[in-house]
Amino acid sequence: MRIAFVGPLQSGKSTLFRAVTGQAASDQHLMGEHIAVVKVPDPRLEFLQRLFKTKKVVEATIECLDVPGFSHETAQSQSEFRKSLPHIRQCDALVAVVRGFDNPTVPAYRNRVDARADLEELESELMFCDLESVTGRIEKLQKELKKPKSHDEEKHQLELLQRCQNALENEQPLSKVIQSDEERKMVSSFAFLTELPLVVVINVNEAEASAPVPFDYPHAHTTIALCADTEEQIAKLDPQDRQAFMEDLGVGESAHDRLIQACYGAVGLISFMTHNQEEVRAWSIKQGTEAVEAAGKIHTDMARGFIRAETVAYEDLEAAGDMKAAKAGAKVRLEGKHYIVEDGDVITFRFNV
Ligand SMILES: Nc1nc2c(ncn2[C@@H]2O[C@H](COP(=O)(O)OP(=O)(O)O)[C@@H](O)[C@H]2O)c(=O)[nH]1
Ligand SMILES: [Mg+2]
């Protein structure tokens, strides 16, 4: 999964990015954007490592992208934001970071602290970009359809794009329009921005970090309030000091954990686990993924030569104590290609190429 931190200038995007990614050694610059890989913590992996006695544990990962801030008021920021759109389009979710903190030493964007207005402004820019793509394509399609040939596919696309256009003109994101897999496929080449699930982060003052979220943004899958500055300090601490510091501040869960959870939820991801002599490993997939597709995530050969998936639910394995006992208790199932993988499945794929 890849996520992008978007939002107005000076809202705390980079601060939150550092808090969540810890600025890992694997940092890279990608055409001016900052990208880092974050491990997805999963306590189930510890048990599996003990059980299978492997040297390595490989967590699932999320790639985070810190993109330039956006403001309608400065042409420079607008053009830089536009330049990073191709990267944003490759993401699975957007994390919109808006300012809810007052800090006299940091000038507020447009001299206002108004998280809701900032979100509306950001969304209107995203909608504008989508509307440009939609309108351009509609014009081309209308020309195409004047030619004498049967054009069922084009007609379907035109009908869908007109609904998209209508929604965008009424300030509705495309996530509200494009609902079925068929529709999603029909417009996938556009990589619409407002089709991406949105997680909103309201970056509040330290004192407000443990208060309830000030408001829920209607187009957001999840809205989180946190103090990015504090979270950066938390991330810098040694893990053993972290808990006490967070308790002192009344911070229940770190931004790192909350944000990963929110993005998993927004994208509809689950994890399954595999093991071999070397390692136990977690993989993230979309809810509803079939076993053969999950196998393909590991290696295309595994999907091509798929025979079966030997599957045990993590809870069953933990309760049984080990694989032998799980088998004796008939908890290990042999599943076929079309089995829908569930969160926590521990799977060994059998394949033949
Ligand atoms: N008081 C306060 N200042 C913050 C907070 N988060 C960020 N800042 C400050 O706001 C400024 C802009 O932050 P930055 O992360 O660079 O914003 P970006 O432009 O969105 O990447 C920096 O000076 C930060 O120290 C916060 O939660 N509270
Ligand atoms: Mg920044």
Side-chain angles (χ1 to χ4, degrees):
M1 169 164 65
R2 184 180 272 203
I3 59 176
F5 291 62
V6 295
L9 302 165
Q10 301 272 51
S11 66
K13 294 179 298 303
S14 297
T15 309
L16 183 64
F17 177 83
R18 288 193 298 272
V20 171
T21 64
Q23 285 277 14
S26 58
D27 274 3
Q28 302 169 29
H29 280 274
L30 185 83
M31 320 257 310
E33 280 77 25
H34 216 161
I35 186 163
V37 177
V38 181
K39 290 180 182 166
V40 179
D42 190 335
R44 296 175 293 194
L45 290 173
E46 287 163 31
F47 172 82
L48 293 176
Q49 186 186 23
R50 266 183 279 124
L51 184 63
F52 297 114
K53 302 187 177 62
T54 62
K55 263 184 275 166
K56 265 199 325 186
V57 170
V58 185
E59 292 94 346
T61 54
I62 297 182
E63 283 173 47
C64 299
L65 205 61
D66 185 24
V67 297
F70 166 77
S71 155
H72 268 139
E73 281 190 349
T74 81
Q76 156 107 18
S77 85
Q78 206 157 6
S79 99
E80 284 194 14
F81 182 73
R82 289 270 171 119
K83 267 191 250 160
S84 59
L85 285 181
H87 300 301
I88 300 177
R89 289 186 197 283
Q90 285 170 26
C91 289
D92 302 290
L94 298 181
V95 176
V97 184
V98 286
R99 176 169 172 142
F101 64 88
D102 237 336
N103 180 351
T105 64
V106 181
Y109 159 66
R110 277 194 167 173
N111 293 320
R112 74 176 181 209
V113 178
D114 189 339
R116 199 189 296 265
D118 286 354
L119 283 166
E120 283 165 2
E121 185 161 348
L122 171 70
E123 235 198 337
S124 83
E125 172 71 6
L126 301 177
M127 286 177 185
F128 180 78
C129 295
D130 282 351
L131 191 57
E132 270 186 347
S133 330
V134 167
T135 311
R137 180 67 186 154
I138 286 179
E139 282 168 12
K140 277 204 189 118
L141 277 173
Q142 280 168 336
K143 274 187 209 146
E144 278 295 304
L145 282 165
K146 282 194 186 125
K147 294 180 191 162
K149 258 202 292 160
S150 79
H151 302 284
D152 274 355
E153 213 172 296
E154 277 96 341
K155 272 184 204 149
H156 275 135
Q157 200 187 39
L158 181 63
E159 185 274 327
L160 177 57
L161 289 176
Q162 280 168 334
R163 269 194 286 137
C164 289
Q165 186 179 40
N166 189 38
L168 291 166
E169 283 167 356
N170 288 298
E171 291 168 1
Q172 287 295 310
L174 295 181
S175 53
K176 302 259 187 254
V177 179
I178 300 157
Q179 303 270 339
S180 69
D181 284 345
E182 194 198 340
E183 289 175 337
R184 225 161 273 137
K185 243 184 233 155
M186 230 192 288
V187 295
S188 65
S189 62
F190 297 99
F192 289 132
L193 298 163
T194 65
E195 202 189 336
L196 291 171
L198 186 67
V199 171
V200 163
V201 172
I202 307 173
N203 185 12
V204 295
N205 287 321
E206 187 180 318
E208 286 148 22
S210 48
V213 179
F215 63 88
D216 272 310
Y217 193 62
H219 297 159
H221 183 277
T222 317
T223 307
I224 296 174
L226 52 78
C227 174
D229 255 359
T230 310
E231 294 291 344
E232 191 182 8
Q233 290 171 41
I234 293 173
K236 277 187 189 150
L237 292 173
D238 287 333
Q240 67 264 28
D241 300 332
R242 221 170 263 163
Q243 201 54 42
F245 184 72
M246 281 163 57
E247 271 165 29
D248 270 359
L249 293 169
V251 175
E253 238 184 328
S254 68
H256 172 271
D257 293 358
R258 290 171 74 194
L259 206 62
I260 289 175
Q261 256 175 37
C263 292
Y264 253 63
V267 180
L269 291 181
I270 57 168
S271 300
F272 72 94
M273 276 78 78
T274 58
H275 59 93
N276 57 24
Q277 278 147 350
E278 289 290 306
E279 62 187 33
V280 295
R281 180 161 184 164
W283 306 82
S284 49
I285 48 171
K286 286 214 174 159
Q287 253 158 27
T289 300
E290 294 187 344
V292 61
E293 220 183 308
K297 217 184 133 77
I298 301 172
H299 201 291
T300 47
D301 281 353
M302 280 197 183
R304 211 153 44 85
F306 184 97
I307 300 171
R308 60 179 180 269
E310 288 179 19
T311 308
V312 54
Y314 174 82
E315 277 80 24
D316 289 341
L317 180 58
E318 195 189 22
D322 62 28
M323 229 24 179
K324 211 172 148 195
K327 275 184 186 154
K331 295 294 183 193
V332 181
R333 295 166 275 128
L334 301 182
E335 301 287 3
K337 276 189 177 176
H338 301 302
Y339 167 70
I340 304 290
V341 176
E342 288 190 36
D343 184 56
D345 278 350
V346 180
I347 305 182
T348 305
F349 291 104
R350 301 291 173 203
F351 66 106
N352 184 9
V353 281

